[in-house]
Amino acid sequence: MKNLKNIVLFTIISLLLFCGCSQENKSASDTVNPQDGKSVSEQQETIVDSEKAAENVTDKMSLLEAVGEGHVYLTFPNFDELSVGEIRDGQSNKSVLFDAQGMVHHLFEDGSRVVSGYYNGMCLLSNGMMATEDGTQLLVSWLPENEKIIRFAKDEEGVLLWSIKREDGIDGTKVTFTARKMDGSICFQCDTTQPEFSELNPNDLYETLVNAGYDMNAEGISTPFIYCGGTLYRVRGWNGYVFINIANGKLHYISEFNACQIRMENGVMFQTAPSIRVLDDDFNELPEWKSIKSQRSGTPVLAEELIYLDARRDTGEFEKYPSGFYDIHLNCIIDLSQYNIQPVTTDEPRFMNGYAALQMLNPDGVPFWGIIRKDGTWSVEPQKGTIKSIYPTKDGLLVTVSQENDYYTTINQVGQNLSDVETFVFDGVNGYWNSAYEIYNESLYATINGEIVRIDKNGSAEFLC
């Protein structure tokens, strides 16, 4: 009997030790596989779909519960999986992962800051680690140890993870830029030995990129590495810029100490600083844009193949290009010269989903606004008011307007008032969608007054918190 007890006791202790070792081995080997969004050791299913995730949310708190007396702001929307928000309570800012139904999947209580969207089951943290749906911090299994992440985002080519690697030799330093897809395969690669980088110091460039604090999703003038739309990216050095088109592998260097901005749309690049130019996807300038100078203080925008201009040519016959929308060959498509077109705050007019909201002044300086179609006809006739913000919807746009008494109304592209968000103002700097938003399942998700709202195509609004 005594021997039997000893055998049972030995068996229990062995099982406990085995379980403990298994747990230790699991945590030691956890590296994230972006194809399945879980650790390699778990080998779970693929992308978390927000609708499927919502089926099992009994153990999850709502966004309303997580926010409490504070406010929440949408920072990186991706409602196909999970979106990232930031909760602010006046004392601290906390990142949160939540789904399209407003259920929280993880609240980062430890101070970790999410600096990317949530794609293929993971998001990037400010410490350079990846986090999964439950907040577990892991490394990317296929990323070499000597590479540093500089961008993780969903661009035109899909979800890409950009990294840099430095190699120091007696003949100099080389920095390699690599963009990988989520299966680890290389989508694009270039390095500083290429002639376009010859004016940039590789050591300074690497240090600047590494010390950027993972603010790689910003689009500021001084940000060292940014996405410029389409398949275009920009690297900023101390005395110039290198633009990279990953679609054809072309690189382009511009020697400029001040701002240099180029945006790509449908394979066409529109340069707005230090001068206005239009370039093809090989960075060749279209000759018709030679010496074109804008007569306005705002920055013109290429959108839906049209550009609003009020400009002239500074050489030759000094041709004028009066107020209106032009195509990339400087043909006037919509003549607006009879109106006194104003910026929306500081933003120049542009088309969204076939509509453009215009801010105007009458001859006596009274503000009017209206919405115009691509054929030049009015969808919403000019009326008194000042545009505060403009957001796209699935098929049109939403315009928030203030009247003389500071009463706000939000109106869609056909003039319908959205009574559910009447008197509310979209968060962010006034102008064109200056805060994060997403159109998902025909609804617009955005932030209004520190709360995340879902506005459907019929204008009905529902606050997630």
Side-chain angles (χ1 to χ4, degrees):
M1 187 68 179
K2 183 177 181 181
N3 289 338
L4 179 60
K5 288 182 178 178
N6 288 338
I7 291 171
V8 171
L9 182 59
F10 176 78
T11 303
I12 292 172
I13 292 172
S14 300
L15 286 171
L16 289 172
L17 288 171
F18 176 77
C19 292
C21 291
S22 298
Q23 286 296 108
E24 287 183 16
N25 289 338
K26 177 183 174 182
S27 61
S29 63
D30 272 356
T31 53
V32 70
N33 183 342
Q35 292 184 78
D36 55 31
K38 300 291 182 181
S39 66
V40 172
S41 56
E42 292 179 69
Q43 291 295 310
Q44 296 294 330
E45 293 295 327
T46 55
I47 298 174
V48 177
D49 183 274
S50 60
E51 293 180 354
K52 292 180 180 177
E55 295 173 5
N56 232 344
V57 295
T58 54
D59 59 338
K60 295 181 174 66
M61 73 174 97
S62 69
L63 199 55
L64 179 62
E65 293 173 300
V67 172
E69 297 298 318
H71 298 279
V72 62
Y73 299 84
L74 186 61
T75 53
F76 299 104
N78 182 26
F79 289 104
D80 272 334
E81 300 184 54
L82 296 175
S83 288
V84 180
E86 184 175 275
I87 296 175
R88 305 173 189 171
D89 59 11
Q91 297 179 339
S92 63
N93 298 340
K94 297 177 183 178
S95 294
V96 60
L97 297 176
F98 64 98
D99 59 37
Q101 285 69 42
M103 300 307 296
V104 172
H105 289 242
H106 186 72
L107 178 62
F108 291 85
E109 299 274 13
D110 61 355
S112 298
R113 185 169 65 93
V114 178
V115 294
S116 80
Y118 185 90
Y119 309 109
N120 289 59
M122 64 180 182
C123 55
L124 180 65
L125 302 180
S126 57
N127 62 6
M129 300 284 285
M130 291 293 181
T132 57
E133 177 188 1
D134 62 2
T136 302
Q137 296 189 24
L138 303 165
L139 296 172
V140 180
S141 60
W142 40 255
L143 186 69
E145 292 183 3
N146 60 348
E147 295 190 24
K148 301 282 188 180
I149 299 172
I150 60 170
R151 180 179 172 82
F152 178 58
K154 187 175 184 179
D155 301 329
E156 186 172 286
E157 292 293 293
V159 179
L160 295 179
L161 188 147
W162 281 84
S163 63
I164 55 171
K165 177 182 69 174
R166 71 178 294 160
E167 297 172 84
D168 296 308
I170 191 63
D171 295 325
T173 296
K174 180 176 77 171
V175 177
T176 301
F177 295 80
T178 306
R180 290 182 173 88
K181 298 180 179 179
M182 289 300 94
D183 59 3
S185 62
I186 294 177
C187 171
F188 174 82
Q189 193 171 67
C190 67
D191 62 62
T192 53
T193 63
Q194 294 174 248
E196 291 82 4
F197 283 97
S198 61
E199 298 300 318
L200 276 59
N201 182 297
N203 178 60
D204 292 343
L205 185 61
Y206 181 84
E207 294 297 327
T208 300
L209 288 163
V210 168
N211 294 325
Y214 290 101
D215 194 20
M216 71 293 294
N217 291 307
E219 296 186 2
I221 291 171
S222 60
T223 306
F225 185 84
I226 67 170
Y227 175 57
C228 301
T231 55
L232 186 66
Y233 297 81
R234 190 197 75 186
V235 179
R236 179 182 182 271
W238 288 109
N239 60 344
Y241 300 80
V242 175
F243 289 85
I244 303 169
N245 184 359
I246 66 172
N248 57 13
K250 296 285 187 177
L251 277 64
H252 181 59
Y253 171 72
I254 296 179
S255 176
E256 178 62 42
F257 289 94
N258 297 314
C260 187
Q261 296 174 303
I262 300 178
R263 297 289 299 178
M264 175 184 272
E265 186 195 69
N266 295 330
V268 176
M269 302 181 205
F270 185 49
Q271 178 178 325
T272 54
S275 56
I276 296 178
R277 298 285 184 273
V278 174
L279 305 90
D280 63 21
D281 59 358
D282 288 327
F283 297 100
N284 298 311
E285 293 186 11
L286 274 59
E288 50 264 55
W289 285 83
K290 182 179 179 181
S291 301
I292 292 293
K293 301 291 183 183
S294 175
Q295 303 299 296
R296 298 169 63 87
S297 59
T299 301
V301 174
L302 171 64
E304 299 186 8
E305 301 180 349
L306 292 177
I307 306 163
Y308 173 78
L309 286 176
D310 186 352
R312 73 171 191 179
R313 195 182 306 278
D314 270 4
T315 59
E317 300 296 321
F318 296 94
E319 304 102 301
K320 290 186 177 181
Y321 297 87
S323 174
F325 281 98
Y326 292 78
D327 65 17
I328 61 169
H329 299 292
L330 277 177
N331 299 308
C332 184
I333 306 301
I334 302 174
D335 183 1
L336 296 173
S337 58
Q338 70 185 94
Y339 303 103
N340 184 357
I341 303 296
Q342 299 293 303
V344 177
T345 309
T346 59
D347 296 337
E348 291 291 70
R350 68 205 65 175
F351 272 94
M352 295 187 297
N353 297 320
Y355 298 91
L358 301 179
Q359 182 70 64
M360 297 160 282
L361 291 177
N362 75 3
D364 298 310
V366 177
F368 275 70
W369 72 280
I371 299 176
I372 201 167
R373 304 182 186 91
K374 273 193 170 181
D375 63 4
T377 60
W378 291 101
S379 175
V380 176
E381 293 285 340
Q383 52 194 275
K384 287 179 66 174
T386 301
I387 297 175
K388 292 299 181 182
S389 65
I390 304 169
Y391 275 77
T393 60
K394 182 179 182 296
D395 301 312
L397 47 79
L398 295 180
V399 183
T400 299
V401 180
S402 71
Q403 308 298 334
E404 291 177 334
N405 58 359
D406 287 333
Y407 184 82
Y408 293 95
T409 57
T410 297
I411 302 167
N412 66 12
Q413 72 278 359
V414 294
Q416 174 190 359
N417 275 20
L418 274 65
S419 58
D420 285 1
V421 291
E422 200 166 17
T423 77
F424 289 105
V425 183
F426 287 89
D427 286 63
V429 180
N430 290 335
Y432 282 83
W433 68 88
N434 281 291
S435 60
Y437 75 91
E438 184 177 40
I439 299 167
Y440 174 71
N441 279 351
E442 300 189 353
S443 295
L444 169 67
Y445 288 77
T447 307
I448 292 181
N449 290 6
E451 299 180 53
I452 296 173
V453 65
R454 175 175 55 226
I455 303 173
D456 68 23
K457 62 181 180 180
N458 297 317
S460 299
E462 176 186 0
F463 287 90
L464 300 189
C465 63

